[in-house]
Amino acid sequence: LALKYPDATFIVFKNNVTTGEFINAFANECYATYFLVVRSDCSLVAFEGDKLMEIMEDKAHPAVITPVMVSGQGEILPTVRAPFLKGRTIDPLSFMPDMESDKAVTNLYPLMGMGLFDRALFQRLRAFDNMIFGEFFQMLDFGVRCFLMGYSIVTTKALAFVFPKRVSVIEDRSEC
């Protein structure tokens, strides 16, 4: 493949890696200002570049714009997360994204690591923690660090993915 596509960079891992490690490696190798993370089991159905760039070019722009997610049955999924403290643990609550307005809504973390990232800011925030095993915990840790350092993560209908073979999206929140 490298001979056939000399302008492409291929990243090959010797061992199993976490979602965060995949994204970190990609962020280290790409030279773009922004990068988009999409999974192979979903399709991009909305990418309003002008609206997304308007959000990202604002002085107080977010670290990540997360997508609205749609099930294979065409239903909007509750992918906006808000913190909820249960004793000494955080148990994020799920809400529906705002489909009526063009305004972006604050989200606690990038669900499943998907979204449009500001590469330089992502790296300044120290990316995803490779010492944390578990996609949910890596994403939550990154979202909390963004919040503590004064940066936001937002969701907007200008970016949307559909999971054609899924009825719902369930996070693995089991301890690891």
Side-chain angles (χ1 to χ4, degrees):
L1 282 176
L3 293 174
K4 190 172 182 178
Y5 302 101
D7 294 334
T9 300
F10 295 92
I11 303 170
V12 180
F13 296 95
K14 292 181 181 179
N15 302 316
N16 289 335
V17 296
T18 64
T19 301
E21 287 175 294
F22 276 120
I23 297 169
N24 291 350
F26 182 76
N28 287 335
E29 293 299 322
C30 83
Y31 298 102
T33 303
Y34 308 109
F35 66 92
L36 180 66
V37 176
V38 182
R39 293 170 47 109
S40 59
D41 61 346
C42 68
S43 300
L44 183 66
V45 292
F47 188 91
E48 298 177 31
D50 56 337
K51 290 180 182 177
L52 295 171
M53 288 304 105
E54 185 178 308
I55 293 169
M56 289 305 244
E57 290 172 354
D58 185 81
K59 186 176 180 182
H61 70 279
V64 185
I65 298 175
T66 62
V68 166
M69 295 184 193
V70 183
S71 74
Q73 297 175 332
E75 297 174 337
I76 305 299
L77 300 172
T79 54
V80 174
R81 301 294 192 254
F84 176 72
L85 296 176
K86 189 188 284 184
R88 293 180 47 114
T89 61
I90 186 168
D91 186 21
L93 299 177
S94 301
F95 295 94
M96 299 298 285
D98 184 3
M99 299 304 291
E100 302 299 319
S101 169
D102 282 340
K103 292 188 89 172
V105 295
T106 302
N107 203 340
L108 180 59
Y109 59 90
L111 182 66
M112 302 169 86
M114 296 193 302
L116 181 67
F117 289 74
D118 176 319
R119 185 186 56 81
L121 181 54
F122 176 72
Q123 291 176 316
R124 258 194 328 270
L125 292 166
R126 298 185 170 269
F128 293 112
D129 189 337
N130 292 337
M131 299 304 291
I132 298 174
F133 302 99
E135 184 177 275
F136 165 73
F137 293 102
Q138 279 186 326
M139 304 306 134
L140 178 62
D141 170 72
F142 178 74
V144 170
R145 279 188 283 124
C146 284
F147 174 78
L148 292 174
M149 294 184 180
Y151 295 100
S152 64
I153 295 173
V154 300
T155 300
T156 177
K157 68 179 183 178
L159 180 63
F161 299 149
V162 65
F163 289 87
K165 297 180 181 173
R166 287 188 175 196
V167 175
S168 65
V169 175
I170 299 170
E171 293 176 292
D172 179 5
R173 293 185 179 186
S174 58
E175 291 187 28
C176 53

